[in-house]
Amino acid sequence: QVYVVFSEELKCWCRAVVESVQCQADGYHLGCFLVDYAKHCSVASENIRVLAGAFAKIPHRAKKCRLHCTKPLTLHIDYCENTAKIGPAKRWDTAAIQHFRKLLE
């Protein structure tokens, strides 16, 4: 379901998909993915509206995706044997993410 939310960062109303709901002291906050900006943001519950009419049929400019069959690697350093080998990792490291974003730009 796509909604319209007010993004404080962008200072405008944007189409978004709600991903999570959190109850906080000042009310409910929604974790949203802005489908036209490919950004994640948190929005107060009073800043969400139902998307009406023809606007709901406009295709999204951003889509969530993953790299097919690409797994994170890291450099494993063995100080005792004075060797370094590339091997599997559980998560992508920050340098790899930054390098990939530069390639996309």
Side-chain angles (χ1 to χ4, degrees):
Q1 177 75 35
V2 179
Y3 296 94
V4 178
V5 299
F6 186 78
S7 169
E8 295 290 336
E9 179 185 350
L10 299 172
K11 304 286 186 225
C12 66
W13 289 91
C14 309
R15 294 185 301 162
V17 174
V18 176
E19 295 181 326
S20 64
V21 179
Q22 298 173 343
C23 182
Q24 296 183 351
D26 60 340
Y28 288 97
H29 284 263
L30 310 168
C32 297
F33 177 73
L34 305 179
V35 297
D36 293 320
Y37 294 94
K39 290 185 175 226
H40 293 274
C41 69
S42 179
V43 177
S45 60
E46 59 266 6
N47 290 334
I48 186 168
R49 305 287 187 270
V50 175
L51 186 61
F55 292 112
K57 297 178 182 174
I58 299 172
H60 304 158
R61 291 179 56 199
K63 296 205 184 272
K64 285 186 173 185
C65 60
R66 295 182 184 196
L67 297 175
H68 181 68
C69 295
T70 303
K71 307 231 179 203
L73 298 174
T74 190
L75 186 63
H76 297 284
I77 299 173
D78 187 348
Y79 292 104
C80 297
E81 296 183 16
N82 199 24
T83 61
K85 296 179 182 176
I86 293 179
K90 292 181 181 178
R91 299 178 53 200
W92 290 100
D93 62 4
T94 306
I97 294 169
Q98 289 174 352
H99 177 70
F100 182 71
R101 286 183 177 159
K102 286 180 183 176
L103 290 174
L104 289 175
E105 290 174 1

